[in-house]
Every structure is written in structure tokens, then in C-alpha cells.
Amino acid sequence: RKEVEQDPGPFNVPEGATVAFNCTYSNSASQSFFWYRQDCRKEPKLLMSVYSSGNEDGRFTAQLNRASQYISLLIRDSKLSDSATYLCVVSSSASKIIFGSGTRLSIRP
Amino acid sequence: GAGVSQSPRYKVAKRGQDVALRCDPISGHVSLFWYQQALGQGPEFLTYFQNEAQLDKSGLPSDRFFAERPEGSVSTLKIQRTQQEDSAVYLCASSQGDAGNEQYFGPGTRLTVT
């Protein structure tokens, strides 16, 4: 079993829709959680950190469920520009950092 | 200020050649990470530096891979006797803190071994 697992997708949703992804992790000692976004043939860029109490940034909401060991990302009112691969990232120490394989999202007009 | 830069952006090597990939992190960033990203996969951790100290090299796939950051700034990832399975994008990232902090990635070096 992979340490960080994501549904690879692709998720194909119409513009304006709400879409959500989950990411599960196996190490209960994990401390830091992030969502990164990666466009095709580009480098990953931080979308948002994920805090224990959940956090929101505009149309994006991230949540952490430590009991079930997953994090989630919700995108409301999706835009064409949201089309990308979303990478779940989990860190359990100063150097131990694991990326998921990513979930591909495609927004159609 | 400038972001993370990497060079070369593309490298084609014949099997058995040695290659050296360079990373210039954001000025003042203490931490530097190297990753290997295969097509359709997420980045896989290779190694981590805090200043000039290589604190974790557990992700290096073999002893053909070597990384250094002698002055705590620029880093070089060297791959000796390249093999076809080394073909991937090599990403460098820097951070003000450790892995629990936001990482800023460079554009990557796409290595193709023929």
C-alpha cells in the first residue's frame, strides 16, 4: 500500500460545478499536510496548507481528518483555469515528505 | 526576487554517461530538496539539505546518484553511468524551513537517457 494515495481521476466537470478530492495517508505520525497544484509540464506550486481545524481560501476548502487519516480538497464554482493535477503532500518529519501521484482535474466549458 | 532556477532545462544523455544537474535556490532558503518525477507520478523524494549538510539521502535510488551543496546555496545532483530508468524530470525545491514548510520548486530538468 502506498503511503499517500489519491484517486488519479481524471475528474471531468463542467464550469461552475463543485468538485472534491480525497487523499489518504498511512503514517499516523504525519504532521504537516498540503495541497499542491501542478500544471502540465510545469513545476508544482503550493495551493494551500491543510490545518487541523480546516481552512478556506476563496473557492478552495481543505480539511484534515486525523482519525480516518485523510485530507480533502473542495473546489467551489470551478473555473476553466482550475484544470490541473492536484497533488496531496504529507510530511512526518523535517525531511520525510511524501507526494501523492496526483488527481487530474479537467473543467469543461 | 528570483525563484528557484535549474539548469539545464533539458538533457539528453547516452546510456553510461555521467550528468550533472544544477539548482540555484531562493536566496536565504536554508532547506533544499531534490525530487525525481516520472511521467504521470508525483515527485519522489531523493535527498534533503539543511544549509551545506545533507541530512537525508534515503531517497537516492542507487550509489550512482550523488548530491552536494558545498556552500549551503547552489546544489548539484550528479548521476553516474546513466541508465534508461533514470529518465525523468528532476525537480529542486527550496524552503525557509524544513519539510513542514512551503516548498518553492524550480522548473525542473528533463533528463532523457537513450
Side-chain angles (χ1 to χ4, degrees):
Chain A
R1 183 188 170 196
K2 288 185 179 179
E3 289 192 60
V4 176
E5 292 201 71
Q6 295 183 250
D7 181 341
F11 286 64
N12 190 328
V13 303
E15 201 173 2
T18 294
V19 61
F21 322 128
N22 279 349
C23 164
T24 59
Y25 61 94
S26 59
N27 185 350
S28 59
S30 298
Q31 299 165 0
S32 301
F33 307 88
F34 307 90
W35 283 103
Y36 277 73
R37 171 197 169 125
Q38 187 171 28
D39 293 289
C40 189
R41 292 184 171 263
K42 298 286 189 181
E43 69 272 22
K45 291 186 179 176
L46 180 69
L47 178 66
M48 57 198 303
S49 302
V50 186
Y51 303 121
S52 297
S53 55
N55 48 299
E56 191 174 302
D57 183 1
R59 298 181 293 109
F60 299 85
T61 300
Q63 294 201 313
L64 167 63
N65 185 317
R66 285 193 184 273
S68 301
Q69 294 184 201
Y70 74 86
I71 66 172
S72 64
L73 177 67
L74 179 82
I75 306 174
R76 289 182 298 278
D77 187 25
S78 52
K79 312 288 184 195
L80 294 175
S81 57
D82 294 335
S83 297
T85 295
Y86 290 84
L87 297 163
C88 167
V89 182
V90 176
S91 171
S92 58
S93 72
S95 62
K96 180 78 170 174
I97 181 161
I98 308 290
F99 279 73
S101 295
T103 296
R104 282 176 48 210
L105 173 64
S106 178
I107 308 298
R108 62 179 188 271
Chain B
V4 179
S5 61
Q6 292 186 245
S7 61
R9 292 293 309 278
Y10 303 91
K11 177 70 179 177
V12 179
K14 289 190 184 211
R15 191 161 57 94
Q17 281 185 331
D18 298 349
V19 298
L21 313 180
R22 178 187 167 107
C23 172
D24 278 90
I26 292 173
S27 177
H29 276 193
V30 167
S31 296
L32 186 145
F33 300 80
W34 282 100
Y35 297 88
Q36 180 189 62
Q37 186 171 26
L39 192 64
Q41 300 296 314
E44 297 267 353
F45 170 81
L46 294 177
T47 187
Y48 162 62
F49 289 86
Q50 188 177 89
N51 296 306
E52 68 279 4
Q54 188 175 22
L55 298 187
D56 190 335
K57 54 182 182 179
S58 62
L60 296 176
S62 78
D63 59 7
R64 296 185 296 103
F65 287 70
F66 172 76
E68 60 183 4
R69 193 186 185 198
E71 296 176 1
S73 180
V74 170
S75 177
T76 303
L77 176 67
K78 297 179 179 176
I79 309 174
Q80 297 176 324
R81 304 182 303 281
T82 52
Q83 304 294 315
Q84 283 193 314
E85 62 263 26
D86 300 335
S87 296
V89 175
Y90 290 85
L91 293 163
C92 173
S94 72
S95 169
Q96 288 186 320
D98 60 24
N101 293 265
E102 177 180 2
Q103 295 189 20
Y104 296 83
F105 283 81
T109 294
R110 185 175 298 275
L111 173 65
T112 303
V113 182
T114 60

